[in-house]
Amino acid sequence: AKEQGKNRYIFFNHSMETALREKILLERNLREAIANKELELWYQPFIEVATKRIIGFEALLRWYSPKYGSIPPVQFISLAEKTGLIIPIGCKVLQDACTFVASLRQEGYNNLRVTVNISVIQLIADDFIPTVQEIIAQTGVSPSSLGFEITESVFMEQSKGLVEKLECLKDMGIIILLDDFGSGYSSLKYLNHLPIDVVKIDKTFIDKLDENGDKKQLAEIIIALARQINAKSVAEGVETEKQLNRLIEYQCEIVQGYLFSKPVPEEAVRSLLMSNQKS
Ligand code: C2E
Ligand code: CA
Ligand code: CA
Ligand code: CA
């Protein structure tokens, strides 16, 4: 044990110490950010290919720190997961997204759906379902206006009752989207056993659609696969007309990406909706 301790000391070099200090600082700042309400949701539209209409939005977290400026989610979500802070953050995200979609409904936008990214840490928590039910009751949102985006990493969890949880959410009327499909440990065998309503094709496959050549595109295969399990497909990160045209050819139903709109703050959502309805 002494040897190990010694080694650890040797390897615990300057840059690691700096990294650790930065992590501790970031964690403290994140705790303060929650208390100071520095976290807010921005919204990126989903476009139905057939009608070119906005059919909903994905809620994406933004952190603006008065001290450090804006900090992107890739820099703090995994830390939030490791420290457990993702639980209060996820709660706040769900509350805000529900309040947002409930207010859209009041304004007459009856068919819009808002999707929320749910970390596997939230999903496996014992009180996840009761928490969701409580927030739905508090905000008066219709569960049919909600979607939960989960990633393939849930399949790595041996957590019991995961499928039952997803089925329970689905019975409530919430749709389940499988995010970043194909990017990680996609286990095809789970596709059949999970109540997936929508498959989101990872951006890496969308980027490939710009390339020339007659190699079979994985995006096309994923779209066909989704159809086989009665799921819709969403292409995420669509940036070019060429990508869009190919997705239309493959009969992808829904698209999302900078070609249509970046994520926007809540104040900008209404004007986005109004100009979409006019066009
Ligand atoms: P994601 O769920 O895969 O979200 C898509 C990311 O791609 C978003 O980055 C979005 O802004 C970006 N994006 C959308 N369209 C385009 C495009 O056309 N081109 C490019 N280059 N990028 C595009 P963002 O907002 O930085 O979020 C990054 C990741 O952080 C998300 O990936 C998600 O995994 C996570 N995240 C964000 N908000 C939340 C949240 O509320 N809860 C949890 N658990 N995770 C979140
Ligand atoms: Ca997502
Ligand atoms: Ca995604
Ligand atoms: Ca992603």
Side-chain angles (χ1 to χ4, degrees):
K2 209 174 178 186
E3 273 304 297
Q4 232 186 358
K6 208 168 155 193
N7 279 341
R8 208 176 287 155
Y9 182 76
I10 293 164
F11 285 115
F12 197 81
N13 57 32
H14 185 69
S15 72
M16 282 168 81
E17 201 184 309
T18 313
L20 183 65
R21 210 179 280 137
E22 269 169 16
K23 224 177 106 179
I24 293 169
L25 187 66
L26 187 67
E27 183 183 341
R28 192 192 306 143
N29 285 321
L30 189 52
R31 283 182 195 280
E32 283 171 10
I34 301 168
N36 298 344
K37 304 191 184 343
E38 289 166 17
L39 299 173
E40 70 171 23
L41 290 178
W42 284 34
Y43 296 94
Q44 186 180 33
F46 291 106
I47 316 289
E48 185 176 54
V49 173
T51 59
K52 297 198 173 73
R53 293 275 169 224
I54 294 175
I55 56 165
F57 295 88
E58 174 178 5
L60 291 158
L61 200 53
R62 294 291 175 264
W63 175 10
Y64 184 80
S65 153
K67 242 191 287 178
Y68 303 98
S70 56
I71 301 158
V74 285
Q75 274 181 33
F76 66 87
I77 291 289
S78 73
L79 180 72
E81 287 176 330
K82 280 179 204 129
T83 54
L85 285 173
I86 195 68
I87 298 288
I89 291 174
C91 242
K92 173 75 162 59
V93 163
L94 194 55
Q95 267 163 353
D96 287 359
C98 287
T99 305
F100 168 69
V101 72
S103 71
L104 283 179
R105 225 172 228 233
Q106 292 232 304
E107 292 161 38
Y109 296 109
N110 294 321
N111 301 316
L112 295 174
R113 200 188 284 267
V114 169
T115 69
V116 177
N117 291 286
I118 304 288
S119 158
V120 64
I121 309 286
Q122 293 173 268
L123 196 62
I124 64 176
D126 282 339
D127 62 349
F128 182 64
I129 299 279
T131 303
V132 171
Q133 282 166 331
E134 203 181 300
I135 294 173
I136 286 173
Q138 272 171 8
T139 54
V141 72
S142 160
S144 63
S145 318
L146 289 177
F148 286 176
E149 302 200 3
I150 57 168
T151 61
E152 297 166 327
S153 60
V154 299
F155 305 146
M156 304 289 286
E157 291 297 324
Q158 298 301 314
S159 161
K160 278 224 309 255
L162 207 66
V163 178
E164 287 77 7
K165 269 189 196 175
L166 293 177
E167 261 153 13
C168 174
L169 294 167
K170 198 174 161 145
D171 288 343
M172 289 162 64
I174 299 171
I175 63 162
I176 308 296
L177 300 87
L178 190 52
D179 205 356
D180 302 343
F181 185 77
S183 66
Y185 311 92
S186 18
S187 196
L188 291 179
K189 71 176 178 186
Y190 290 107
L191 265 190
N192 253 334
H193 297 294
L194 285 181
I196 303 295
D197 300 286
V198 177
V199 171
K200 293 190 81 174
I201 310 159
D202 194 66
K203 183 175 178 353
T204 51
F205 305 114
I206 308 306
D207 292 340
K208 290 256 185 321
L209 298 178
D210 278 326
E211 292 170 9
N212 290 315
D214 45 24
K215 213 163 86 195
K216 187 80 173 171
Q217 290 284 349
L218 278 167
E220 181 175 13
I221 297 169
I222 296 172
I223 293 163
L225 185 68
R227 200 173 298 122
Q228 282 290 317
I229 59 159
N230 291 317
K232 288 193 174 177
S233 23
V234 173
E236 63 175 21
V238 179
E239 291 177 348
T240 68
E241 291 286 344
K242 183 167 179 180
Q243 292 168 357
L244 177 63
N245 289 334
R246 286 208 159 163
L247 289 163
I248 292 171
E249 183 192 325
Y250 303 155
Q251 295 177 317
C252 178
E253 288 97 342
I254 303 157
V255 287
Q256 195 185 24
Y258 293 173
L259 182 61
F260 312 95
S261 172
K262 288 192 171 183
V264 298
E266 185 174 338
E267 309 85 72
V269 164
R270 273 77 179 181
S271 61
L272 215 57
L273 283 169
M274 278 189 291
S275 61
N276 181 248
Q277 283 183 332
K278 275 184 216 130
S279 66

